[in-house]
Amino acid sequence: MTLTTKLSQSKFYQEDIVQRVDDPSRSGVVVRCWHNSHEIPIPEHLQQQDPLLRPLKPDEVGVSFFSSQDREISHESEFKLIDRPFQTGDVCKRHVEDVQSGVVKSVDVRFKAAHVISNEKVEGWLSKDDIEDTDELVIGSIVIFDDWVGQVQNIFDEMVVELGSGGFVRVPEMTSRLTVGDRGADILPPPAPGQNHFMPGVTPSESDTVVAIKHSVIAVCWMAVNQKLTSEAAAGRQRPQRFWNENEQSKLTLVRDLDEKVVRVGHKISLRKAPFVTRHGEANSRKGQILVDTFNVIETQTSVTVLWQDGSTEVVDSKELLPHVNPDEYDCWPGDHVMWKNEDAKQPAIVQKVNAKQRTAELLLYDGKVELVPVLELDVHGSDAILETPHDSFGARVGDLVFIHADGSTNGFEKPMVPVIGELEAWAYEAPVQEETGEYSGWRKDLNVMGTSLAQDVPPRIDSFGKAKLNGDLSIHWFGEVLDLQLNGLIDVKLPNQQIVSVPLERLSRLNDGLDQLEDVWGDGFDDSLDDEMDEDDKAEILGFQTEDGEWHEYDPDDEGDWEDDEDEAASEADVKMDTDDDISAPNPDLKTQSPTSQEASSGSDDVGSRPTSSVSSEPTSVDESESKDEAEPCKRFDILPSAPVDHAFYTSTSVDPSRQFMSRLSKEYKALTTSLPDSIIVQTYEDRTDLLRCLIIGPENTPYEDAPFVIDWMLDSNFPQSPPIAHFHSWTNGNGRVNPNLYEEGKVCLSILGTWAGDRSESWSAARSSLLQAFVSIQGLVLVKEPWFCEPAYEKLRGTAGGRVNSRLYSEKAYVLSRGFVRRALEIPMGGLEEIINDIYYTKGRLQQVISKSNALIAKSREAEGKDLEDDDSDLAVPHLTAGGVLALSRTMTKLEQTHSAHQQTTK
């Protein structure tokens, strides 16, 4: 069996519940998978400390077992899938090769349970109806008080531990690390001054068991106020207190989510009718007796209700579905609010259904009209949202927590944009610990002091330990969770009292998740936890680089190239003038974009085609020999113009005062550009702004970008060459998505040599071994490639897999269609300084006619083959065929290009 075939049959995903084939008594949860694993390499001695840390091979999974807590990496064939958990709002597929996906509308789990202490099993299968409603608070819980919405940031717990030697001890701590039924010698923390135990001098044992927990104090960050209040009323609602003790918590209203009763293996629950309990302590003693009615979920069977893109709804066994881990940027589902961006206007609409295979969508416009459009013309998420509020996006999703604005008012945004509101208070961002002492700092220290103080009070009866009953306020009608999206545009929202209301989109605002805000600042915690275990040698090993054979080497900062500036070299006006007879070789390190494996560039076939860019020749590139002898001389590949054009992205920036070193280096850069630029790259700089450049790159042959113009503006700051050049890409996609994973719509160019992608140090900009020429050819050779989808981080490893092929094909079609629009944009609104060059390339040399002919041929071929299986057709072509949606979108562009071509011919007759 080939590697490609094996990879296409990947069986498991993270959070899958699996069972060992050779030992059915051992079941566990998948915590790592090769296909979605993209961690940094871990030093070998750390791998030995945790068997799950070593690099995964294809078809391997990392599993954590439930009963023994063992962790191992094994081949997928050694496991059997028991259950596949989903949550409401998750996206799924039936098969990896499918292009149609669905959204999980609801989840139903039946399960088996056993008592957390006695391990006695409850007979038969249980359902959500058997679960007792609780007011259990966890970190991240959403609560309401006095018209304010807040999120629990941390909890100080007080636990009752039954000792293996007999008796009880109270354990107060701010970690939330323990649950009822946990057992072991690590239950009791090391003795600490002032800690209040029922029995002093206890000795930890493997039989120590947690029998009760209460949340002594919780810390709540209040993020936003009721949006139905008038501005005067809202101003009168003072932000509630930060800390809430166990008696005050009853004033809070817990917002229950749709998945509140969706259980997974390992969850601990209470049952409405507990068939048995365990008793701890003496009923008549002064300390009281604890009854434990908590049960472990030990087995699950999940079914989900799925809304497919074609509008059908189906109840499916979750094991028959796959998580859609790499959704297409145009994926949308019935009820979604999107923006249709065509040649004429931008129109908001509601998706009625999607033909994923043909990449078309039926839309209901806000004026009541129904249109069939290509998904390539849809902005699904709000890609041109205000950059200062990047979380604002189109519409709402099932599971979103939303504020409901008053009748007659709106969220202040134009449909279909929905704002995200709710900011964490400043205290939430305080560092967790003091770097000097390692002790809690800021509000965590206050919470710890408050919780410890309460624990030192006169010990209560142990049977008083239990869950606080929160306020069941049923009058809250201004906040809830999105339950469903109607095809007429209304949004169904479930209120805290379980009532369902239908609300127009413009009356909703989404709640910003506070934990996500913290993750943006502190990260996901992985790097921090790893740093704690690594010394400087470990870190140096991770900050190394990887060779093509997969071997990692420590980065050597002394390994530099030959571009060192001679600081004593005088820079003058003459230094900047070009001497085309000078021959200077350009350095050529192995540069990479986001993808860890560089890709070969395609070879061009004419004077503005491409050529391999992994090496840069010091000789000028000749014009295609097949070109007519009497044709005009090609435009200069490098030129210095008198003044910078006003449409340059950095035109309004402050011009640098060039230093002698700056001008000396610039002279060398100019010489390299004069002699070594490929035919398909044209660079211009300016006498009045030596810190600015503009380059035009023509897309390489047999890539989705062939024949298309890509314009990037550059600025050299005063620290150049010590700092890399700054790039701005002119994206002409009309807000319909990126044309390449590394080229952002707002202008960012993601490339390691530019410092905009965290590649290996050896790939980063270096004044000694990097050059402008390298930056230009890297974009052509490592970004504008045949299969651009694999430029995304961690996608390179999916090359050859079924899922990788599907996603790459869809992305390449999108890139091809959008880049045809670049041709039109360059001709209709030529960039300053490039007017003659664009005319020469597309009119004089006939490239426009070539673009039209190739595209029309592809359209005709795709129409003839509609309905046939063309997965392997002309597999060597970057874009062998188009979907119906691709044909529709490209046809519209071709109509405009043909009109442009015809108009030019008329004017030149």
Side-chain angles (χ1 to χ4, degrees):
M1 182 179 291
T2 65
L3 179 62
T4 298
T5 304
K6 289 172 64 179
L7 294 182
S8 68
Q9 296 176 347
S10 185
K11 292 169 55 178
F12 300 120
Y13 294 81
Q14 284 181 333
E15 300 187 0
D16 279 356
I17 307 301
V18 296
Q19 182 184 80
R20 283 204 65 90
V21 174
D22 59 357
D23 186 359
S25 66
R26 298 187 67 198
S27 60
V29 59
V30 175
V31 294
R32 288 186 63 203
C33 301
W34 173 85
H35 55 79
N36 59 357
S37 172
H38 50 87
E39 305 101 344
I40 59 176
I42 306 299
E44 185 173 348
H45 73 273
L46 291 181
Q47 296 177 26
Q48 295 173 354
Q49 296 177 19
D50 187 338
L52 284 188
L53 288 182
R54 77 160 173 81
L56 293 176
K57 300 176 182 178
D59 297 329
E60 282 190 334
V61 290
V63 176
S64 178
F65 293 95
F66 294 124
S67 56
S68 62
Q69 300 302 309
D70 291 341
R71 294 151 66 87
E72 69 176 41
I73 292 176
S74 300
H75 195 275
E76 286 186 333
S77 62
E78 298 180 32
F79 296 97
K80 174 184 176 182
L81 179 64
I82 300 301
D83 197 18
R84 175 160 288 154
F86 281 97
Q87 289 185 317
T88 303
D90 284 349
V91 183
C92 59
K93 286 184 174 184
R94 278 198 176 276
H95 307 286
V96 173
E97 300 86 351
D98 289 348
V99 290
Q100 173 165 264
S101 59
V103 173
V104 175
K105 301 301 290 292
S106 64
V107 181
D108 187 41
V109 180
R110 65 176 195 155
F111 60 95
K112 291 185 177 181
H115 196 275
V116 294
I117 294 177
S118 69
N119 290 324
E120 183 177 358
K121 295 182 180 180
V122 181
E123 290 186 8
W125 289 94
L126 303 172
S127 72
K128 62 182 179 181
D129 295 332
D130 296 306
I131 301 175
E132 180 184 5
D133 293 329
T134 65
D135 289 329
E136 179 64 16
L137 291 171
V138 296
I139 294 176
S141 290
I142 301 297
V143 293
I144 296 176
F145 177 78
D146 193 27
D147 284 311
W148 276 90
V149 173
Q151 188 172 40
V152 176
Q153 296 297 303
N154 214 325
I155 298 174
F156 190 98
D157 285 334
E158 191 173 349
M159 290 148 286
V160 176
V161 176
E162 185 176 38
L163 301 174
S165 58
F168 299 96
V169 63
R170 290 167 61 204
V171 179
E173 62 180 19
M174 190 183 68
T175 61
S176 295
R177 68 184 176 98
L178 299 175
T179 60
V180 173
D182 287 349
R183 177 179 300 169
D186 59 346
I187 295 296
L188 296 180
Q195 201 168 57
N196 186 20
H197 296 301
F198 277 1
M199 295 180 64
V202 296
T203 302
S205 78
E206 292 294 336
S207 300
D208 294 344
T209 306
V210 178
V211 294
I213 296 179
K214 68 177 179 181
H215 302 319
S216 302
V217 191
I218 64 172
V220 180
C221 194
W222 300 99
M223 297 188 293
V225 72
N226 179 357
Q227 297 297 295
K228 282 190 175 181
L229 297 176
T230 63
S231 56
E232 294 79 9
R237 296 291 195 275
Q238 293 188 352
R239 197 179 293 267
Q241 65 199 51
R242 182 182 308 177
F243 300 123
W244 297 73
N245 64 39
E246 59 181 304
N247 296 321
E248 297 169 322
Q249 292 169 26
S250 60
K251 302 175 184 177
L252 303 174
T253 298
L254 174 66
V255 178
R256 306 175 187 276
D257 60 46
L258 297 175
D259 292 323
E260 177 189 9
K261 292 186 177 182
V262 173
V263 298
R264 299 185 178 182
V265 175
H267 282 191
K268 295 183 177 181
I269 59 172
S270 296
L271 298 176
R272 291 183 184 275
K273 297 180 180 179
F276 39 80
V277 299
T278 56
R279 301 176 184 273
H280 306 266
E282 299 295 331
N284 297 325
S285 71
R286 66 181 181 84
K287 297 173 184 176
Q289 184 180 58
I290 291 179
L291 304 181
V292 177
D293 62 353
T294 304
F295 293 81
N296 257 325
V297 176
I298 60 174
E299 187 177 350
T300 58
Q301 291 184 352
T302 304
S303 63
V304 297
T305 301
V306 180
L307 172 64
W308 297 105
Q309 288 179 296
D310 63 9
S312 62
T313 301
E314 184 180 12
V315 178
V316 189
D317 184 328
S318 67
K319 295 192 296 296
E320 299 177 12
L321 301 172
L322 306 176
H324 190 8
V325 293
N326 296 312
D328 185 73
E329 64 183 301
Y330 300 103
D331 275 344
C332 50
W333 299 270
D336 283 353
H337 290 251
V338 299
M339 185 71 78
W340 176 29
K341 298 180 176 180
N342 56 25
E343 292 290 343
D344 302 318
K346 298 179 181 179
Q347 301 182 69
I350 303 106
V351 176
Q352 303 298 291
K353 59 183 177 180
V354 177
N355 185 325
K357 189 170 184 178
Q358 295 301 327
R359 301 190 93 182
T360 59
E362 184 179 298
L363 303 181
L364 173 64
L365 305 183
Y366 285 8
D367 61 9
K369 296 181 180 178
V370 176
E371 294 279 355
L372 182 67
V373 306
V375 298
L376 298 178
E377 294 179 352
L378 297 183
D379 185 353
V380 175
H381 307 288
S383 57
D384 58 354
I386 302 173
L387 295 180
E388 287 75 17
T389 54
H391 295 292
D392 299 339
S393 60
F394 290 159
R397 300 288 183 270
V398 173
D400 284 348
L401 294 173
V402 294
F403 293 86
I404 302 175
H405 295 255
D407 289 333
S409 65
T410 72
N411 55 29
F413 280 58
E414 183 177 347
K415 291 192 301 185
M417 186 67 71
V418 174
V420 172
I421 63 175
E423 296 298 327
L424 290 178
E425 300 171 75
W427 59 265
Y429 295 99
E430 294 174 359
V433 297
Q434 301 175 14
E435 292 186 5
E436 303 81 9
T437 65
E439 298 177 350
Y440 291 123
S441 64
W443 65 271
R444 292 175 180 84
K445 181 177 180 180
D446 296 338
L447 175 61
N448 191 55
V449 169
M450 185 175 179
T452 302
S453 176
L454 290 174
Q456 291 173 343
D457 290 344
V458 177
R461 289 174 56 88
I462 60 175
D463 57 5
S464 69
F465 279 67
K467 300 180 180 66
K469 196 68 178 176
L470 302 189
N471 179 29
D473 188 351
L474 301 182
S475 65
I476 298 173
H477 55 274
W478 48 269
F479 186 81
E481 184 176 14
V482 173
L483 181 65
D484 201 5
L485 311 178
Q486 297 186 26
L487 294 182
N488 61 5
L490 293 177
I491 311 296
D492 290 342
V493 179
K494 186 189 74 171
L495 303 177
N497 65 1
Q498 307 303 305
Q499 179 186 355
I500 299 173
V501 295
S502 297
V503 186
L505 187 69
E506 63 270 21
R507 285 181 53 203
L508 296 181
S509 291
R510 293 190 290 118
L511 175 67
N512 199 357
D513 190 308
L515 297 186
D516 284 348
Q517 296 178 57
L518 289 177
E519 187 172 315
D520 290 341
V521 175
W522 297 108
D524 59 11
F526 174 76
D527 291 336
D528 292 340
S529 63
L530 189 60
D531 278 349
D532 294 339
E533 303 180 53
M534 290 192 299
D535 57 26
E536 292 305 314
D537 290 338
D538 295 332
K539 294 176 183 178
E541 182 177 342
I542 284 183
L543 292 175
F545 61 95
Q546 189 176 28
T547 58
E548 292 183 358
D549 59 6
E551 184 178 354
W552 279 83
H553 297 274
E554 184 175 347
Y555 170 68
D556 182 2
D558 296 326
D559 183 16
E560 299 289 357
D562 56 0
W563 265 85
E564 289 287 0
D565 287 319
D566 182 357
E567 296 187 6
D568 295 329
E569 181 181 347
S572 64
E573 293 287 335
D575 286 326
V576 183
K577 293 181 180 179
M578 292 296 95
D579 181 357
T580 57
D581 293 331
D582 289 343
D583 182 21
I584 183 168
S585 296
N588 177 40
D590 180 22
L591 300 173
K592 296 181 182 179
T593 60
Q594 292 183 7
S595 174
T597 303
S598 62
Q599 302 185 38
E600 295 181 1
S602 301
S603 298
S605 60
D606 53 27
D607 62 301
V608 288
S610 71
R611 65 185 199 182
T613 58
S614 58
S615 63
V616 183
S617 171
S618 61
E619 297 297 330
T621 305
S622 62
V623 178
D624 191 322
E625 295 179 0
S626 64
E627 194 174 297
S628 174
K629 297 284 186 181
D630 59 348
E631 201 167 296
E633 288 296 318
C635 296
K636 291 183 179 180
R637 295 198 294 278
F638 177 76
D639 202 1
I640 303 177
L641 304 184
S643 58
V646 295
D647 60 0
H648 194 286
F650 303 106
Y651 182 81
T652 59
S653 65
T654 302
S655 177
V656 302
D657 185 11
S659 65
R660 210 170 84 177
Q661 181 186 15
F662 181 96
M663 295 302 294
S664 175
R665 174 57 176 263
L666 202 60
S667 175
K668 294 181 179 181
E669 296 278 3
Y670 282 4
K671 290 176 182 178
L673 293 173
T674 300
T675 61
S676 303
L677 275 173
D679 295 328
S680 51
I681 300 180
I682 292 172
V683 178
Q684 296 176 340
T685 188
Y686 314 100
E687 292 179 359
D688 67 334
R689 291 292 301 269
T690 56
D691 59 328
L692 302 185
L693 301 94
R694 167 169 284 172
C695 77
L696 167 68
I697 302 175
I698 301 299
E701 183 182 354
N702 198 24
T703 72
Y705 309 108
E706 63 178 5
D707 302 324
F710 293 82
V711 178
I712 301 175
D713 287 341
W714 303 80
M715 180 175 70
L716 312 178
D717 65 19
S718 59
N719 198 39
F720 180 82
Q722 302 307 317
S723 59
I726 303 168
H728 178 91
F729 167 63
H730 288 274
S731 177
W732 298 324
T733 63
N734 195 33
N736 285 333
R738 296 185 209 168
V739 74
N740 182 280
N742 299 87
L743 303 176
Y744 288 57
E745 289 186 273
E746 65 269 25
K748 178 181 177 180
V749 178
C750 204
L751 199 65
S752 58
I753 194 174
L754 302 182
T756 50
W757 167 248
D760 301 330
R761 288 188 184 183
S762 61
E763 301 164 1
S764 301
W765 177 269
S766 165
R769 54 183 170 78
S770 304
S771 69
L772 295 175
L773 177 62
Q774 290 170 3
F776 301 157
V777 298
S778 293
I779 293 172
Q780 183 192 61
L782 302 177
V783 174
L784 302 177
V785 293
K786 182 177 180 180
E787 296 179 288
W789 186 79
F790 295 108
C791 290
E792 283 281 12
Y795 285 0
E796 171 64 26
K797 65 160 54 179
L798 300 179
R799 188 183 296 275
T801 66
R805 287 194 298 271
V806 170
N807 283 283
S808 179
R809 175 174 57 81
L810 294 177
Y811 199 99
S812 292
E813 177 185 75
K814 181 271 295 271
Y816 182 83
V817 173
L818 290 181
S819 60
R820 300 313 91 187
F822 280 35
V823 179
R824 178 189 170 193
R825 169 59 170 76
L827 292 170
E828 293 182 350
I829 313 176
M831 302 293 288
L834 296 177
E835 298 91 341
E836 292 184 7
I837 294 173
I838 291 294
N839 284 338
D840 179 65
I841 292 173
Y842 288 98
Y843 291 133
T844 304
K845 293 186 170 64
R847 188 166 289 266
L848 176 57
Q849 182 58 56
Q850 180 175 310
V851 169
I852 294 173
S853 298
K854 286 183 178 180
S855 296
N856 284 338
L858 182 59
I859 289 171
K861 172 185 174 183
S862 300
R863 284 174 172 163
E864 290 175 2
E866 188 171 343
K868 299 179 182 178
D869 185 5
L870 298 176
E871 291 299 317
D872 298 320
D873 178 49
D874 294 331
S875 58
D876 189 50
L877 298 179
V879 184
H881 60 273
L882 302 174
T883 62
V887 167
L888 183 57
L890 182 59
S891 297
R892 292 173 178 170
T893 300
M894 286 306 104
T895 299
K896 299 294 184 179
L897 282 179
E898 288 167 350
Q899 292 172 355
T900 299
H901 186 241
S902 177
H904 176 77
Q905 289 180 319
Q906 293 296 324
T907 59
T908 55
K909 282 184 178 180

